[in-house]
Coordinates of all heavy atoms in Angstrom, one line a residue:
C382 N 92.6 123.1 112.4 CA 93.9 123.9 112.3 C 93.5 125.4 112.7 O 92.5 125.8 112.2 CB 94.4 123.9 111.0 SG 95.8 124.9 110.7
F383 N 94.4 126.0 113.5 CA 94.0 127.4 113.8 C 95.0 128.4 113.2 O 95.3 129.4 113.8 CB 94.1 127.4 115.4 CG 93.1 126.6 116.1 CD1 93.4 125.5 116.7 CD2 91.7 127.1 116.1 CE1 92.5 124.7 117.4 CE2 90.8 126.3 116.7 CZ 91.2 125.1 117.4
G384 N 95.6 128.0 112.1 CA 96.6 128.8 111.4 C 96.6 128.6 109.9 O 95.6 128.4 109.4
A385 N 97.8 128.5 109.4 CA 98.0 128.5 108.0 C 98.3 127.1 107.6 O 99.3 126.7 107.0 CB 99.1 129.4 107.6
C386 N 97.5 126.1 108.0 CA 97.7 124.7 107.7 C 97.5 124.5 106.2 O 96.6 125.0 105.6 CB 96.7 123.7 108.5 SG 97.0 123.9 110.1
P387 N 98.3 123.7 105.6 CA 98.1 123.3 104.1 C 96.8 122.5 103.9 O 96.6 121.7 104.8 CB 99.4 122.5 103.7 CG 100.0 122.1 105.0 CD 99.6 123.0 106.1
T388 N 96.1 122.8 102.9 CA 94.9 122.2 102.6 C 95.0 121.7 101.2 O 95.1 122.5 100.2 CB 93.6 123.1 102.8 OG1 93.7 123.8 104.0 CG2 92.4 122.4 102.5
F389 N 94.9 120.5 100.9 CA 95.1 119.8 99.6 C 94.5 118.5 99.6 O 94.2 117.9 100.7 CB 96.5 119.8 99.2 CG 97.4 118.8 100.0 CD1 97.6 117.6 99.7 CD2 98.0 119.3 101.2 CE1 98.2 116.6 100.4 CE2 98.8 118.4 102.0 CZ 98.9 117.1 101.6
R390 N 94.3 118.0 98.5 CA 93.6 116.6 98.2 C 94.7 116.0 97.2 O 95.0 116.5 96.1 CB 92.3 116.7 97.6 CG 91.7 115.2 97.5 CD 90.2 115.5 97.0 NE 89.6 114.2 96.9 CZ 88.9 113.8 95.9 NH1 88.4 114.9 95.1 NH2 88.4 112.7 95.8
L391 N 95.0 114.6 97.5 CA 95.9 113.9 96.6 C 95.2 112.5 96.4 O 95.0 111.9 97.5 CB 97.4 113.8 97.3 CG 98.3 112.9 96.4 CD1 98.6 113.7 95.1 CD2 99.6 112.7 97.3
V392 N 95.0 112.3 95.2 CA 94.4 111.0 94.9 C 95.5 110.1 94.1 O 95.9 110.6 93.0 CB 93.0 111.1 94.2 CG1 92.5 109.7 93.7 CG2 92.1 111.9 95.0
V393 N 95.8 109.0 94.5 CA 96.7 108.1 93.7 C 95.9 106.9 93.5 O 95.4 106.2 94.4 CB 98.0 107.8 94.6 CG1 98.9 107.0 93.8 CG2 98.7 109.1 94.9
K394 N 95.7 106.5 92.2 CA 95.1 105.3 91.8 C 96.0 104.2 91.5 O 97.1 104.5 91.2 CB 94.1 105.5 90.6 CG 93.0 106.5 91.0 CD 92.1 106.7 89.9 CE 90.9 107.7 90.2 NZ 90.0 107.8 89.0
M395 N 95.6 102.9 91.5 CA 96.4 101.8 91.4 C 96.9 101.7 89.9 O 97.9 101.1 89.7 CB 95.7 100.5 91.8 CG 95.3 100.3 93.2 SD 96.8 100.3 94.2 CE 97.6 99.0 93.8
D396 N 96.4 102.5 89.0 CA 96.7 102.4 87.6 C 97.8 103.5 87.5 O 98.4 103.5 86.2 CB 95.6 102.5 86.6 CG 94.9 103.9 86.7 OD1 95.3 104.7 87.6 OD2 94.1 104.1 85.9
G397 N 98.2 104.1 88.5 CA 99.3 105.2 88.4 C 98.6 106.6 88.2 O 99.5 107.6 88.1
Q398 N 97.5 106.7 88.0 CA 96.9 108.1 87.8 C 97.0 108.7 89.1 O 96.5 108.3 90.1 CB 95.4 107.9 87.3 CG 94.8 109.2 86.8 CD 93.5 108.9 86.1 OE1 92.7 107.9 86.6 NE2 93.0 109.8 85.5
V399 N 97.4 110.1 89.1 CA 97.6 110.9 90.2 C 96.9 112.3 90.0 O 97.1 112.9 88.9 CB 99.1 111.1 90.6 CG1 99.2 111.9 91.8 CG2 99.7 109.8 90.7
V400 N 96.1 112.7 91.1 CA 95.5 113.9 91.0 C 95.8 114.8 92.2 O 95.5 114.3 93.3 CB 93.9 113.9 90.8 CG1 93.3 115.2 90.7 CG2 93.6 113.1 89.5
Y401 N 96.4 116.0 92.1 CA 96.6 116.9 93.2 C 95.7 118.1 93.1 O 95.6 118.7 92.0 CB 98.0 117.2 93.2 CG 98.4 118.5 94.2 CD1 98.7 118.2 95.5 CD2 98.4 119.6 93.7 CE1 99.0 119.2 96.4 CE2 98.7 120.8 94.6 CZ 99.0 120.5 95.9 OH 99.2 121.6 96.7
E402 N 95.1 118.5 94.2 CA 94.3 119.7 94.2 C 94.7 120.4 95.4 O 94.4 120.2 96.5 CB 92.7 119.4 94.3 CG 92.1 118.7 93.2 CD 90.7 118.3 93.4 OE1 90.1 118.5 94.4 OE2 90.3 117.5 92.5
G403 N 95.5 121.5 95.1 CA 95.8 122.5 96.2 C 94.8 123.6 96.4 O 94.4 124.2 95.5
Q404 N 94.3 123.6 97.7 CA 93.2 124.5 98.0 C 93.7 125.8 98.8 O 93.3 126.8 98.3 CB 92.3 123.6 98.9 CG 91.7 122.6 98.0 CD 91.0 121.6 98.8 OE1 91.0 121.5 100.1 NE2 90.3 120.5 98.2
K405 N 94.5 125.7 99.7 CA 95.1 126.9 100.4 C 96.3 126.6 101.2 O 96.5 125.5 101.6 CB 93.9 127.6 101.2 CG 93.4 126.8 102.3 CD 92.3 127.7 103.0 CE 91.6 126.9 104.1 NZ 90.6 127.5 104.8
N406 N 97.0 127.6 101.4 CA 98.3 127.6 102.2 C 99.3 126.5 101.6 O 100.0 125.8 102.4 CB 98.0 127.3 103.6 CG 97.2 128.4 104.1 OD1 97.4 129.6 104.0 ND2 96.1 128.0 104.9
V407 N 99.3 126.4 100.3 CA 100.3 125.4 99.6 C 101.0 126.2 98.5 O 100.4 127.3 98.0 CB 99.5 124.2 99.1 CG1 99.0 123.2 100.2 CG2 98.4 124.6 98.0
E408 N 102.1 125.7 98.0 CA 102.8 126.3 97.0 C 102.1 126.3 95.8 O 102.2 127.3 95.0 CB 104.2 125.5 96.8 CG 105.1 126.4 95.9 CD 106.5 125.8 95.9 OE1 106.9 125.0 96.7 OE2 107.2 126.0 94.9
H409 N 101.4 125.3 95.3 CA 100.7 125.0 94.1 C 99.1 125.0 94.3 O 98.8 124.0 94.8 CB 101.3 123.8 93.4 CG 102.7 123.9 93.0 ND1 103.3 124.7 92.1 CD2 103.8 123.3 93.7 CE1 104.5 124.5 92.1 NE2 104.8 123.7 93.1
L410 N 98.4 126.1 94.1 CA 97.0 126.2 94.0 C 96.4 125.6 92.7 O 97.0 125.7 91.6 CB 96.5 127.5 94.2 CG 96.9 128.1 95.6 CD1 96.5 129.6 95.7 CD2 96.3 127.3 96.7
G411 N 95.3 124.9 92.8 CA 94.6 124.4 91.6 C 94.8 122.9 91.5 O 95.3 122.2 92.4
R412 N 94.3 122.4 90.4 CA 94.3 120.9 90.1 C 95.4 120.5 89.1 O 95.6 121.2 88.0 CB 93.1 120.5 89.6 CG 92.8 119.1 89.1 CD 91.3 118.9 88.5 NE 91.2 117.7 88.0 CZ 90.6 116.6 88.6 NH1 90.1 116.7 89.8 NH2 90.5 115.4 87.9
F413 N 96.2 119.5 89.4 CA 97.2 119.1 88.5 C 97.1 117.5 88.6 O 96.7 116.8 89.5 CB 98.6 119.4 89.1 CG 98.7 120.9 89.3 CD1 98.4 121.4 90.5 CD2 99.4 121.6 88.3 CE1 98.5 122.9 90.7 CE2 99.5 123.0 88.5 CZ 99.1 123.7 89.7
Q414 N 97.4 116.9 87.3 CA 97.2 115.6 87.3 C 98.4 114.9 86.5 O 99.0 115.7 85.7 CB 95.9 115.1 86.7 CG 95.5 115.8 85.3 CD 94.2 115.3 84.8 OE1 93.3 115.3 85.8 NE2 93.9 115.1 83.7
G415 N 98.6 113.8 86.7 CA 99.7 113.1 85.8 C 99.7 111.5 86.0 O 98.6 111.0 86.7
N416 N 100.8 110.8 85.9 CA 100.8 109.4 85.9 C 102.1 109.0 86.8 O 103.1 109.6 86.4 CB 100.7 108.6 84.7 CG 99.4 108.8 84.1 OD1 98.4 108.4 84.5 ND2 99.2 109.7 83.0
W417 N 102.1 108.0 87.6 CA 103.4 107.5 88.2 C 103.5 106.1 87.6 O 102.6 105.4 87.2 CB 103.1 107.3 89.7 CG 103.1 108.6 90.5 CD1 103.3 109.8 90.0 CD2 102.9 108.7 91.9 NE1 103.3 110.8 91.1 CE2 103.0 110.1 92.2 CE3 102.6 107.9 92.9 CZ2 103.0 110.5 93.5 CZ3 102.6 108.3 94.1 CH2 102.7 109.7 94.5
T418 N 104.9 105.8 87.6 CA 105.2 104.5 87.2 C 105.0 103.4 88.2 O 104.8 103.8 89.4 CB 106.8 104.5 86.8 OG1 107.4 104.7 88.0 CG2 107.1 105.7 85.8
K419 N 105.1 102.2 87.7 CA 104.9 101.0 88.8 C 105.9 101.2 89.9 O 105.6 100.8 91.0 CB 104.9 99.7 88.0 CG 103.9 99.4 87.2 CD 103.9 98.2 86.6 CE 102.6 97.8 85.7 NZ 102.6 96.6 85.2
D420 N 107.2 101.6 89.5 CA 108.2 101.8 90.6 C 107.8 102.8 91.5 O 108.1 102.6 92.8 CB 109.5 102.1 89.8 CG 110.2 100.8 89.2 OD1 109.8 99.7 89.5 OD2 111.0 101.0 88.3
Q421 N 107.3 103.9 91.2 CA 107.0 105.0 92.1 C 105.8 104.4 93.0 O 105.7 104.9 94.1 CB 106.5 106.4 91.2 CG 107.6 107.0 90.5 CD 107.2 108.0 89.6 OE1 106.3 107.8 88.8 NE2 108.0 109.2 89.7
L422 N 104.8 103.8 92.4 CA 103.8 103.3 93.2 C 104.2 102.3 94.1 O 103.7 102.3 95.3 CB 102.7 102.6 92.2 CG 101.8 103.5 91.4 CD1 100.9 102.7 90.3 CD2 101.0 104.4 92.1
A423 N 105.1 101.6 93.8 CA 105.6 100.5 94.8 C 106.4 101.3 96.0 O 106.4 100.8 97.0 CB 106.7 99.5 94.1
L424 N 107.1 102.3 95.6 CA 107.9 103.0 96.6 C 106.9 103.7 97.6 O 107.1 103.6 98.8 CB 108.7 104.1 95.9 CG 109.5 105.1 96.8 CD1 110.5 104.3 97.7 CD2 110.1 106.2 96.1
L425 N 105.7 104.3 97.0 CA 104.7 104.8 97.9 C 104.1 103.7 98.8 O 103.9 103.9 100.0 CB 103.6 105.4 97.1 CG 102.4 105.9 97.8 CD1 102.8 107.1 98.9 CD2 101.3 106.4 97.0
E426 N 103.8 102.5 98.4 CA 103.3 101.3 99.0 C 104.3 101.1 100.1 O 103.8 100.8 101.3 CB 103.1 100.3 98.1 CG 102.5 99.1 98.8 CD 101.1 99.0 99.3 OE1 100.4 99.9 98.7 OE2 100.9 98.2 100.0
N427 N 105.6 100.9 99.9 CA 106.5 100.5 100.9 C 106.5 101.6 101.9 O 106.6 101.2 103.2 CB 107.9 100.5 100.1 CG 109.0 100.0 101.1 OD1 108.7 99.0 101.9 ND2 110.1 100.7 101.2
E428 N 106.6 102.8 101.7 CA 106.6 103.9 102.6 C 105.2 103.9 103.5 O 105.3 104.0 104.7 CB 106.7 105.3 102.1 CG 108.1 105.5 101.5 CD 109.2 105.3 102.4 OE1 109.2 105.8 103.6 OE2 110.3 104.8 102.0
M429 N 104.2 103.6 102.9 CA 102.8 103.5 103.7 C 102.9 102.3 104.6 O 102.4 102.5 105.8 CB 101.8 103.4 102.6 CG 101.5 104.6 101.8 SD 100.4 104.3 100.4 CE 98.8 104.1 101.4
R430 N 103.5 101.3 104.2 CA 103.5 100.1 105.2 C 104.5 100.4 106.3 O 104.3 100.0 107.4 CB 104.1 98.8 104.3 CG 102.9 98.3 103.5 CD 103.4 96.9 102.8 NE 102.5 96.5 101.8 CZ 101.2 96.1 102.0 NH1 100.7 95.8 103.3 NH2 100.4 95.6 101.1
K431 N 105.6 101.2 106.0 CA 106.5 101.6 107.1 C 105.9 102.2 108.2 O 106.3 102.1 109.4 CB 107.7 102.3 106.6 CG 108.9 101.6 105.8 CD 109.9 102.6 105.4 CE 110.8 102.0 104.5 NZ 111.9 102.9 104.0
I432 N 105.0 103.1 107.8 CA 104.3 104.0 108.9 C 103.0 103.4 109.4 O 102.2 104.0 110.0 CB 104.1 105.4 108.5 CG1 103.2 105.6 107.2 CG2 105.4 106.0 108.1 CD1 102.7 106.8 106.9
N433 N 102.7 102.2 109.0 CA 101.5 101.5 109.3 C 100.2 102.3 108.8 O 99.3 102.4 109.6 CB 101.3 101.2 110.7 CG 100.1 100.1 111.1 OD1 99.8 99.3 110.3 ND2 99.6 100.3 112.3
F434 N 100.3 102.9 107.7 CA 99.2 103.8 107.2 C 97.8 103.0 107.2 O 96.9 103.5 107.5 CB 99.6 104.0 105.7 CG 98.5 104.9 105.0 CD1 98.4 106.2 105.2 CD2 97.6 104.3 104.2 CE1 97.5 107.1 104.7 CE2 96.5 105.1 103.5 CZ 96.5 106.4 103.8
Y435 N 97.8 101.7 106.8 CA 96.6 100.9 106.9 C 96.0 100.7 108.3 O 94.9 100.3 108.3 CB 96.8 99.7 106.1 CG 97.2 99.8 104.7 CD1 98.5 99.6 104.1 CD2 96.4 100.3 103.6 CE1 99.0 99.8 103.0 CE2 96.8 100.6 102.4 CZ 98.0 100.4 101.9 OH 98.4 100.7 100.7
G436 N 96.8 101.0 109.2 CA 96.3 100.9 110.6 C 95.7 102.2 111.1 O 95.0 102.2 112.2
F437 N 95.9 103.3 110.3 CA 95.2 104.6 110.8 C 93.7 104.5 110.7 O 93.1 103.8 110.0 CB 95.5 105.6 109.8 CG 97.1 106.0 109.8 CD1 97.6 107.1 108.9 CD2 98.0 105.4 110.6 CE1 98.9 107.4 108.8 CE2 99.3 105.8 110.6 CZ 99.7 106.8 109.8
G438 N 93.0 105.4 111.6 CA 91.6 105.4 111.6 C 91.2 106.2 110.3 O 91.9 106.9 109.7
I439 N 89.8 106.0 110.0 CA 89.3 106.9 108.9 C 89.1 108.3 109.4 O 89.4 109.2 108.7 CB 88.0 106.2 108.4 CG1 88.3 104.8 107.8 CG2 87.3 107.2 107.4 CD1 87.1 104.1 107.4
K440 N 88.8 108.5 110.6 CA 88.4 109.8 111.2 C 88.8 109.8 112.6 O 88.9 108.7 113.2 CB 87.0 110.2 111.2 CG 86.5 110.4 109.8 CD 84.8 110.8 109.9 CE 84.4 111.1 108.6 NZ 83.1 111.6 108.7
Y441 N 89.4 110.9 113.1 CA 89.8 111.2 114.5 C 89.0 112.3 115.0 O 88.8 113.3 114.3 CB 91.3 111.4 114.6 CG 92.1 110.2 114.2 CD1 92.6 110.0 112.9 CD2 92.5 109.2 115.0 CE1 93.3 108.9 112.5 CE2 93.2 108.2 114.8 CZ 93.8 108.1 113.5 OH 94.5 106.9 113.1
Y442 N 88.5 112.2 116.2 CA 87.7 113.3 116.8 C 88.4 113.8 118.0 O 88.9 113.0 118.9 CB 86.3 112.8 117.2 CG 85.5 112.4 116.0 CD1 85.5 111.0 115.6 CD2 84.7 113.3 115.3 CE1 84.8 110.6 114.5 CE2 84.2 112.9 114.2 CZ 84.1 111.6 113.8 OH 83.2 111.3 112.8
V443 N 88.5 115.2 118.1 CA 89.2 115.8 119.1 C 88.4 116.9 119.7 O 87.9 117.7 119.1 CB 90.6 116.3 118.7 CG1 91.3 117.1 119.8 CG2 91.4 115.3 118.1
S444 N 88.3 117.0 121.0 CA 87.4 118.1 121.7 C 88.5 119.2 121.9 O 89.5 118.9 122.7 CB 86.9 117.5 123.0 OG 85.9 116.5 122.9
I445 N 88.0 120.4 121.4 CA 88.9 121.5 121.6 C 88.1 122.7 122.0 O 86.9 122.9 121.5 CB 89.5 121.8 120.2 CG1 90.5 120.7 119.7 CG2 90.3 123.2 120.3 CD1 91.1 121.0 118.3
T446 N 88.5 123.3 123.0 CA 87.8 124.5 123.5 C 88.6 125.7 123.4 O 89.9 125.7 123.6 CB 87.4 124.4 125.0 OG1 88.5 124.2 125.7 CG2 86.4 123.3 125.2
C447 N 88.2 126.9 122.9 CA 88.9 128.0 122.7 C 88.5 129.1 123.7 O 87.3 129.2 123.8 CB 88.9 128.6 121.2 SG 89.3 127.6 120.1
K448 N 89.4 129.9 124.2 CA 89.0 131.0 125.2 C 88.8 132.2 124.4 O 89.4 132.4 123.5 CB 90.1 131.1 126.2 CG 90.1 129.8 127.1 CD 91.1 130.0 128.2 CE 91.2 128.8 129.0 NZ 92.1 128.7 130.2

């Protein structure tokens, strides 16, 4: 990113435990945690399947040159 891209980490565990860590260029900086219901987890799972999330690569490499 060459600008003000949001930097954060979001961990969602199968037991519903959720941890968000806002690092920079996000509305909420810091670490926040909570729990999601089974219905919320199912909704997330459904959306992930819609976008073929499980077909994404683990890493992507791009050659970029700057002048």
